[in-house]
Amino acid sequence: MKTKFVILTAAAGMMIISSCAGKKDLENCQLENKQLTENVQTLREDLAAKNSRVTSLEDQLREQKRVAASLQRSLDKSLANTNQNNISIEKLVDQINESNQYIRHLVEVKSKSDSLNMVLTNNLTRSLSKEELKEVDVQVLKGVVYISLADNMLYKSGSYEINDRAAETLSKIAKIIKDYKDYDVLIEGNTDDVPIKRENIRNNWDLSCLRASSVVQALQNDYGVDPKRLTAGGRGEYNPLQPNTTELGKQRNRRTQIIITPKLDQFMDLIDKAPEKD
C-alpha cells in the first residue's frame, strides 16, 4: 500500500512538472509569433515604402525623358536655325566682298580718271604764259576739268564776238583738247546780272549762249577741234561764283567755262567692267 502511494505521488509530480513545461513553451511560442508578426508588418511597411519610392523614381524618369526630348527638339531647331543663319551670313559676306570689289574697281576708275585729268591740267597750265594765267583759271572738280576764261579776255565789250587777244590762248587750249581725244568738251557762257538788250541780243540768256557758240565755232573752224566733241550752252546770270553786289564779283561772274569731261559712254563702259556676280 505504501508502495502504491509512492508511485501515485511520483506520477502526480511528473504531471505537475510536465504541465509547467508546456505552459512555458506556449508562452515562448506566443512571444515568438508576436515578434514574427511584428517583423512581417515591418517588412510590409518597408516594401510599401520601397514600392512608393520606385513609383516616384519612375515618374521622375518619365519627366526627365520628356524634358530631354523637349531639349533635343529645341537643339535640333536651334541647329537648323544656325545652319540657316550660317547660309545667310555666307551670302552676306559674299555680297560684301562683291561690293568691296566693285568699290575698288570704281576707285581704280576714278584714280585713272583723276590721273589723266591732272596730266591734262598740268600740260595746259605749263603751256599758258604768266599773263594768260592771270585771266585763265584751271581746276579739277569731281573728276572734271574746268577752264574758266574772263569775258574781257575773250570778247569785245558787250558783244559775243571773239577779240584778237583771245586767239593765242584758245589755240593752246585747242591743242590740249585735240591731244585728249577721249574727252568731251562743253562750252558754257555765264554773265553778271546787269540787264542787256541790243540788236539780236534780247537778254543775258542770249548773250551767254551766243558767247559759248562763238567759242565752239572758233575751236572748230580755226583750230580743227572735232565738232562732234563740242557742246555749246549758256546759263545767263544764274550760275554766279560771287554775289553781283560788287564790281569785282560781277567781273568774276562774267566768264566762259570750257569743261572737259571723259566721254559718258566710255565712262559707263568702264563702270560696266565691274566684276560680274555669280
Side-chain angles (χ1 to χ4, degrees), residues 228-243:
K228 294 178 181 178
R229 300 173 55 195
L230 299 173
T231 301
R235 302 190 68 175
E237 62 198 68
Y238 301 104
N239 185 35
L241 293 176
Q242 294 185 0

Side-chain angles (χ1 to χ4, degrees), residues 16-235:
I16 293 170
I17 293 171
S18 176
S19 174
C20 291
K23 183 179 180 180
K24 188 174 183 179
D25 288 342
L26 178 61
E27 290 176 351
N28 289 336
C29 287
Q30 290 175 343
L31 180 61
E32 184 177 356
N33 183 59
K34 181 180 179 181
Q35 290 176 344
L36 289 174
T37 301
E38 290 175 353
N39 290 340
V40 169
Q41 182 62 31
T42 300
L43 289 174
R44 284 177 178 174
E45 292 175 354
D46 186 53
L47 179 61
K50 284 182 169 52
N51 286 337
S52 177
R53 178 61 177 163
V54 168
T55 301
S56 176
L57 290 174
E58 288 176 343
D59 291 341
Q60 292 180 25
L61 180 59
R62 281 192 294 271
E63 179 63 17
Q64 291 297 328
K65 287 181 178 180
R66 187 191 68 77
V67 172
S70 177
L71 289 175
Q72 185 62 49
R73 288 192 297 271
S74 298
L75 178 60
D76 292 342
K77 184 177 180 180
S78 177
L79 288 174
N81 291 335
T82 300
N83 291 334
Q84 184 63 38
N85 290 337
N86 288 338
I87 294 173
S88 299
I89 291 172
E90 289 175 0
K91 289 183 178 179
L92 180 60
V93 170
D94 290 341
Q95 291 175 356
I96 292 173
N97 290 335
E98 289 175 357
S99 297
N100 288 339
Q101 193 171 0
Y102 185 63
I103 290 171
R104 285 194 297 269
H105 176 75
L106 291 180
V107 170
E108 291 174 1
V109 171
K110 184 178 185 302
S111 177
K112 181 179 178 181
S113 176
D114 288 347
S115 297
L116 288 173
N117 288 340
M118 290 306 299
V119 171
L120 184 154
T121 302
N122 291 336
N123 289 342
L124 178 60
T125 52
R126 279 198 300 266
S127 69
L128 297 175
S129 67
K130 291 182 179 180
E131 292 300 318
E132 288 172 322
L133 285 173
K134 293 179 182 179
E135 298 180 304
V136 179
D137 180 42
V138 182
Q139 296 184 33
V140 177
L141 300 174
K142 297 182 180 180
V144 178
V145 179
Y146 292 84
I147 306 170
S148 185
L149 301 96
D151 73 320
N152 57 357
M153 187 199 78
L154 281 176
Y155 313 106
K156 298 176 182 178
S157 179
S159 171
Y160 56 86
E161 294 181 10
I162 295 177
N163 61 36
D164 296 335
R165 194 162 68 91
E168 185 175 355
T169 303
L170 283 179
S171 68
K172 294 176 181 179
I173 295 174
K175 182 180 184 306
I176 297 297
I177 292 173
K178 290 168 68 175
D179 288 342
Y180 290 83
K181 300 182 183 300
D182 292 333
Y183 285 71
D184 282 331
V185 183
L186 168 64
I187 313 300
E188 181 184 274
N190 295 270
T191 71
D192 59 25
D193 64 348
V194 178
I196 184 172
K197 187 172 183 181
R198 297 188 180 181
E199 188 178 355
N200 299 326
I201 303 177
R202 293 169 297 180
N203 49 41
N204 285 329
W205 277 114
D206 279 357
L207 181 60
S208 63
C209 292
L210 288 168
R211 284 182 168 179
S213 178
S214 294
V215 174
V216 163
Q217 292 181 66
L219 291 174
Q220 174 188 352
N221 299 328
D222 300 337
Y223 307 110
V225 177
D226 185 355
K228 294 178 181 178
R229 300 173 55 195
L230 299 173
T231 301
R235 302 190 68 175

Side-chain angles (χ1 to χ4, degrees), residues 217-269:
Q217 292 181 66
L219 291 174
Q220 174 188 352
N221 299 328
D222 300 337
Y223 307 110
V225 177
D226 185 355
K228 294 178 181 178
R229 300 173 55 195
L230 299 173
T231 301
R235 302 190 68 175
E237 62 198 68
Y238 301 104
N239 185 35
L241 293 176
Q242 294 185 0
N244 285 297
T245 54
T246 65
E247 186 55 40
L248 180 60
K250 292 178 180 180
Q251 183 179 341
R252 288 290 308 279
N253 293 334
R254 295 192 301 267
R255 69 199 186 280
T256 296
Q257 286 188 310
I258 300 177
I259 303 171
I260 304 175
T261 63
K263 290 185 177 179
L264 183 59
D265 56 347
Q266 294 182 357
F267 182 77
M268 294 308 297
D269 286 343

